[in-house]
Amino acid sequence: MTVAIPVPYLRTRAVPRTFASLACVVLLAAWAADRLEAHFDHSARVPVLVLAPMLVSAAIGTSLYAAADELDRTAVRRWWPRRLLHLLALTVPAAAALALAVPGHPESFGAPGMIRNVLGATGVAAASAALIGARLSWLPMTVYGGAVYLAAPRTPGGAASVWAWLMQPGPQSGAWVVASVAYVAGATLFAVRGPRRERG
C-alpha cells in the first residue's frame, strides 16, 4: 500500500518551514560542536548533544499541529499512515544530519548519542502533541531536559542511564532502550490519536 502525503497537508503542517528550522539547528550544532571541541575536548559537546535534539523535537512537535483536525477525523481515508510518515520524514533526516554535524568519538558524545537523543526527544514531543496539543509539545521535553542537565551525575551508567538518558554517552544500552521506547510509544500514540484538538 502506497501512502502519499498531498501538498496541502504539507503546507498546513508547515513542513517546509520545519525543514528550514531543522537546517538552522543542524548548522548551529555543527558550529558549536566544532568550537567547543577546538577549545576543550569531545566531552565538552554535551550541551550540544542535549540542546540540539531538544530544539529539533520542538520544531517537529509544533509541525504536528492540525488547523482543521475535524476534517481529519471525518475523512474517509485512514490518517494514521500519513501521520506516521509525516513524523518519520522529519525525524530521520534530522537525526542523520545532526549525526553528521557532530562526528567522531562514537564511544562518547558523538553521532550515536545524537541519534539516540533525537529519537527520544522527538518521541516525547509526539506523545505530548497527542496528549496536550502540538503547540505545547515542546514543553515537557524542555522541562525534563533542563532538569536532567542540572541533576545528572558526571559519571555515566548505572541508574542514570535510564532517568538521565539524554546526558549519556553513545553506547549506554539503558539510555538507548529508554529513548527507543519513547520514540515508538510517542509515534504510535500520535499516529493513532493525532494531535489533541486545540482552540484558537
Side-chain angles (χ1 to χ4, degrees):
M1 179 180 69
T2 302
V3 179
I5 298 183
V7 174
Y9 178 96
L10 299 176
R11 288 179 179 169
T12 58
R13 268 61 174 188
V15 171
R17 280 183 289 176
T18 303
F19 269 115
S21 300
L22 296 180
C24 291
V25 172
V26 169
L27 292 175
L28 181 62
W31 175 82
D34 181 65
R35 297 294 294 174
L36 287 170
E37 189 168 9
H39 289 86
F40 303 100
D41 62 8
H42 63 270
S43 62
R45 298 184 299 186
V46 173
V48 179
L49 194 77
V50 174
L51 186 58
M54 286 171 51
L55 292 173
V56 161
S57 68
I60 293 175
T62 53
S63 81
L64 304 179
Y65 173 71
D69 62 336
E70 65 276 1
L71 296 178
D72 295 358
R73 300 176 196 282
T74 58
V76 175
R77 294 182 178 179
R78 294 178 298 173
W79 276 90
W80 73 263
R82 287 175 177 80
R83 292 187 192 119
L84 185 59
L85 185 57
H86 173 183
L87 189 60
L88 290 172
L90 292 173
T91 305
V92 172
L98 280 175
L100 293 173
V102 187
H105 304 289
E107 75 287 352
S108 187
F109 301 102
M114 187 64 83
I115 293 171
R116 179 201 65 219
N117 286 357
V118 169
L119 290 176
T122 304
V124 173
S128 301
L131 296 175
I132 65 174
R135 289 177 175 172
L136 290 176
S137 60
W138 55 271
L139 185 58
M141 192 63 215
T142 301
V143 172
Y144 167 76
V148 165
Y149 188 80
L150 295 174
R154 296 192 177 198
T155 305
S161 67
V162 175
W163 67 266
W165 55 269
L166 199 61
M167 296 284 294
Q168 300 298 304
Q172 291 292 329
S173 57
W176 271 99
V177 169
V178 174
S180 300
V181 169
Y183 187 76
V184 171
T188 302
L189 185 62
F190 171 74
V192 172
R193 294 188 55 174
R196 181 178 177 181
R197 184 175 298 180
E198 300 178 65
R199 294 183 179 273

